[in-house]
């Protein structure tokens, strides 16, 4: 299970089967980023969306403030499915950001 957050929309859970599904969810080629406060969780974002699509929420990566633009897919860094505890942590993270 992954968690998808699009600008101006609530996040939702979904299942994916491969990287093609990730490409579809983020509307194009993707890159992996992380926030310093979300240990063990990676953020999959559209690498071409920076400054083009609507900003979604801010992140802090290696101490530097940055923004996620366009859709974002939260995944476990180890490739496993997100747990309910992970979703709760992400919801708390997003509530503090948006």
């Amino acid at each position: 299970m992954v968690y998808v957050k699009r600008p101006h929309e609530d996040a939702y859970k979904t299942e994916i089967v491969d990287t093609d599904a990730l490409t579809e969810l983020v509307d194009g080629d993707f890159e992996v980023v992380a926030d310093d406060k979300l240990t063990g969780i990676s953020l999959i974002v559209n690498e071409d969306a920076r400054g083009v699509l609507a900003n979604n929420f801010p992140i802090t990566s290696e101490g530097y403030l940055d923004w996620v633009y366009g859709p974002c897919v939260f995944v476990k860094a180890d490739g496993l499915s997100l747990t309910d505890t992970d979703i709760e942590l992400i919801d708390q993270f997003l509530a503090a950001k948006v």
Side-chain angles (χ1 to χ4, degrees):
M1 174 178 32
V2 299
Y3 207 41
V4 181
K5 171 71 176 85
R6 296 181 176 277
H8 314 296
E9 295 178 15
D10 292 333
Y12 63 92
K13 302 174 198 177
T14 192
E15 298 289 334
I16 61 167
V17 292
D18 55 24
T19 56
D20 289 339
L22 278 176
T23 300
E24 193 173 311
L25 284 172
V26 297
D27 301 328
D29 294 334
F30 60 84
E31 65 180 314
V32 180
V33 298
D35 185 279
D36 296 345
K37 292 185 172 39
L38 288 176
T39 304
I41 297 173
S42 296
L43 293 73
I44 309 297
V45 299
N46 182 316
E47 64 185 28
D48 297 323
R50 183 175 303 281
V52 177
L53 298 178
N55 61 352
N56 201 340
F57 54 88
I59 61 171
T60 304
S61 184
E62 297 180 3
Y64 293 96
L65 179 64
D66 199 358
W67 281 89
V68 170
Y69 292 87
C72 174
V73 180
F74 293 88
V75 299
K76 280 288 255 200
D78 61 10
L80 298 175
S81 186
L82 291 171
T83 65
D84 288 339
T85 303
D86 295 326
I87 298 294
E88 187 176 313
L89 178 67
I90 295 167
D91 282 340
Q92 292 170 358
F93 169 80
L94 290 171
K97 302 286 184 177
V98 292

